[in-house]
Amino acid sequence: MAKLLEITGKAISGEWGQDDDTGTGIPVLRTTNFTNEGFVNYKNVVTRSILKKNIAEKYLRHGDVIIEKSGGSDKQPVGRVIFFEGEENKYLFNNFTGLLRVQNPEEWLPKYVFYALYAYYRNGGTRAFENRTTGLHNLQVDNYVKSVDIPKLSYRKQQHICETLDHVRDAVAYRERQLTKLDELIKARFVEMFGDMLLNSLEWPEKPLEGLADIVSGITKGRKTTETGLIEVPYMAVSNVKSGYIDWTTIKTILATKQEIEQYRLMPDDILMTEGGDPDKVGRGAIIKNPLENSIHQNHIFRVRLYESELLPAYFAEYLQHQKAKRYFLGCAKQTTGIASINMRQLRALPVVIPPLPLQNQFAAFVAEVDKSKLFAELFAQSTCILAENHSK
C-alpha cells in the first residue's frame, strides 16, 4: 500500500473568479460538471475572469484527477472524483474542487489512481473525512490525502485493471445515453399525442385528482403502538421515489401491525408521489409495477391508486413530469429553507387533463414497448460487464 499523499502530493486548490458573460474568459470546471460515473460533463462549463497570476501549473492536463471538496448531501457523500481526458492547458477548476496530479506517472498510472479513488468514494470511504458548516458538506482534503491507501501493483497490472474497468465504464455510459434517448422519445410521443399540457391545446376535459383516484398517506416511522405480534415488512421511503422511476438500490424494513399492512399495502400500478423535496422536484412520482410482498410506504409518500376506467398509470406518471403538474405543485407548495412540500388537500386538488381512454391505451402500449428497449439496454450493459470481468482474469 502507498499513501495518496506519496503519489500525488498535496491537493492543489482551485481558483476563485468572476463569471464572464462575454465568453472570452477561462473555462472553469465546477462540481456541476462532475458525473457519478467519473466523466466530465462539458454542457455547463462557465468562463471566468481569473485575477491571479502564475496559474500555468493549474491548467488541467491529461490524467489529472479532480476531487469534489464541497457539495454532497446526507444521501450522497462529498468527494466524487472525475478523470480529465479533455483538451490540455485550456481548463481550470474552481475553489470547490481540488486537483490530484500523479507525480511519477511511470510508476503510478493516473487512471489506476483515479479508479482506486472512485472505488473508495463509491464504498463510502469519504464519509470519514466530511465536516459540515452552515449546512454544507465539506471534504477535509488534507486529512484525506494523508490517510487514503492505494494498493501498490506492478505497472502492467495497473494497466490491466484500467483496461477492464474502461470496458465497464464505457458500457455504463452507453447504457445511460440509450436510456436518456428512450426517455426523450416517451416525452416527445406524449406531446405528439396529447398536445401542450400547460395550455391544454387539444381542449381535453379536466378534473381534480380526488375524483380520479384513491389517495392515502403512509405509515409514520417511530410511531408508538401497544400491539404485539408486529411483522417486519419492506417499505418505500422518499429516497426510493424518483421522477419517473423507482430506485430499488436500498429497501428498508419496518415493523407494522396486520391492520397497518392491510391499510398501506402497495399494489401493482400504484403511483407513489413525494410530499416534499427540492422546489423543482416537489410532487415527483413514479409507477411501482412490481411491489415487494407486503410492502408499504412511509408517511412522506402519497399512494395514488387510479380509477383506471378514466385514468391510466402510464399516462398519469408521464403527466406528472410535464409543466401543468409541475407548475401547479410549485405554485401551491410551502417552502422553508430551500425545501418545498405539498399536503393531501393540495394533491387531491391537482387538475388533471383527461384524454380519451383509447388514446391513453395507445400511449401505454408505446411506453411498454420502450420499456422493453430499456430492458435490452440494461442486459447489454450487464453482459458487457461480465465479458470485461472475464477478460481481466
Side-chain angles (χ1 to χ4, degrees):
M1 291 286 190
K3 295 295 182 187
L4 181 59
L5 183 62
E6 300 170 21
I7 300 169
T8 64
K10 295 182 67 174
I12 301 172
S13 298
E15 291 296 328
W16 292 85
Q18 295 181 338
D19 286 352
D20 173 59
D21 295 332
T22 67
T24 58
I26 300 173
V28 176
L29 300 185
R30 305 167 293 163
T31 56
T32 53
N33 302 115
F34 282 56
T35 65
N36 290 335
E37 293 76 33
F39 296 101
V40 180
N41 177 2
Y42 292 98
K43 287 185 179 179
N44 297 304
V45 176
V46 298
T47 58
R48 288 184 172 167
S49 300
I50 306 297
L51 303 178
K52 284 186 179 180
K53 299 179 180 179
N54 303 320
I55 58 173
E57 286 298 307
K58 291 190 176 183
Y59 277 103
L60 293 170
R61 308 171 190 171
H62 289 165
D64 282 346
V65 179
I66 315 167
I67 187 165
E68 175 189 50
K69 296 197 304 182
S70 184
S73 66
D74 290 338
K75 296 172 186 174
Q76 176 176 289
V78 73
R80 289 180 297 170
V81 287
I82 54 176
F83 187 72
F84 184 75
E85 299 174 278
E87 184 177 344
E88 290 194 330
N89 299 317
K90 175 180 179 180
Y91 296 93
L92 292 174
F93 49 101
N94 80 347
N95 55 301
F96 292 113
T97 66
L99 172 62
L100 299 169
R101 180 173 289 161
V102 172
Q103 296 178 327
N104 186 359
E106 294 181 357
E107 180 182 5
W108 292 94
L109 188 62
K111 183 169 275 190
Y112 169 72
V113 175
F114 158 74
Y115 277 129
L117 297 179
Y118 179 79
Y120 187 80
Y121 165 78
R122 297 289 290 185
N123 290 325
T126 57
R127 283 286 192 204
F129 301 100
E130 275 193 0
N131 64 10
R132 302 179 196 180
T133 56
T134 63
L136 290 177
H137 293 239
N138 299 299
L139 188 71
Q140 297 171 320
V141 182
D142 289 343
N143 291 338
Y144 174 84
V145 296
K146 291 176 184 176
S147 303
V148 173
D149 290 314
I150 306 294
K152 195 167 187 176
L153 304 175
S154 70
Y155 200 77
R156 181 68 193 101
K157 184 64 176 176
Q158 292 179 42
Q159 290 176 318
H160 195 53
I161 288 173
C162 289
E163 289 168 2
T164 301
L165 294 178
D166 279 347
H167 284 298
V168 176
R169 194 160 163 250
D170 289 345
V172 170
Y174 178 70
R175 182 203 64 180
E176 293 297 330
R177 290 194 297 271
Q178 281 187 306
L179 295 181
T180 297
K181 288 181 179 179
L182 290 171
D183 286 337
E184 291 171 353
L185 188 63
I186 289 176
K187 292 185 183 303
R189 183 62 172 158
F190 185 88
V191 174
E192 179 186 339
M193 293 183 69
F194 304 118
D196 186 326
M197 285 288 109
L198 185 61
L199 301 176
N200 191 6
S201 56
L202 298 180
E203 299 182 347
W204 306 118
E206 291 186 25
K207 284 185 181 180
L209 182 60
E210 63 180 346
L212 301 166
D214 176 51
I215 308 168
V216 298
S217 185
I219 193 168
T220 302
K221 291 173 60 180
R223 75 213 177 285
K224 294 181 179 180
T225 178
T226 57
E227 291 195 34
T228 58
L230 298 178
I231 304 169
E232 185 176 11
V233 294
Y235 81 96
M236 305 303 292
V238 172
S239 59
N240 299 118
V241 182
K242 307 300 184 183
S243 182
Y245 69 97
I246 300 296
D247 183 350
W248 295 96
T249 305
T250 303
I251 304 299
K252 298 179 181 179
T253 60
I254 192 171
L255 294 173
T257 66
K258 288 183 179 179
Q259 181 181 351
E260 288 171 330
I261 295 170
E262 289 299 320
Q263 180 180 357
Y264 301 119
R265 181 186 285 116
L266 296 172
M267 303 293 289
D269 286 341
D270 281 346
I271 306 288
L272 301 183
M273 297 180 63
T274 61
E275 71 169 23
D278 295 335
D280 63 328
K281 296 180 178 66
V282 65
R284 68 180 186 266
I287 305 172
I288 183 164
K289 296 180 180 178
N290 298 296
L292 300 174
E293 184 179 1
N294 287 332
S295 62
I296 59 181
H297 59 106
Q298 73 172 100
N299 60 312
H300 296 298
I301 293 175
F302 299 111
R303 186 217 70 203
V304 179
R305 187 167 293 162
L306 299 171
Y307 304 147
E308 295 189 21
S309 59
E310 284 194 82
L311 200 62
L312 296 184
Y315 167 79
F316 182 65
E318 184 62 30
Y319 177 82
L320 292 174
Q321 299 187 55
H322 287 257
Q323 285 300 309
K324 191 174 184 69
K326 284 181 174 293
R327 290 197 184 187
Y328 169 79
F329 289 130
L330 192 59
C332 66
K334 178 181 178 182
Q335 298 194 37
T336 55
T337 61
I339 301 297
S341 62
I342 57 172
N343 57 37
M344 177 72 79
R345 177 184 58 80
Q346 291 164 335
L347 178 57
R348 289 180 183 276
L350 169 69
V352 182
V353 175
I354 312 171
L357 198 60
L359 206 58
Q360 292 185 50
N361 272 309
Q362 287 181 34
F363 179 73
F366 177 79
V367 171
E369 287 300 313
V370 172
D371 284 345
K372 289 180 183 178
S373 298
K374 287 185 176 182
L375 179 60
F376 175 79
E378 293 280 359
L379 292 173
F380 172 80
Q382 292 172 14
S383 299
T384 307
C385 292
I386 291 170
L387 289 172
E389 289 172 2
N390 290 337
H391 175 70
S392 68
K393 294 178 181 178

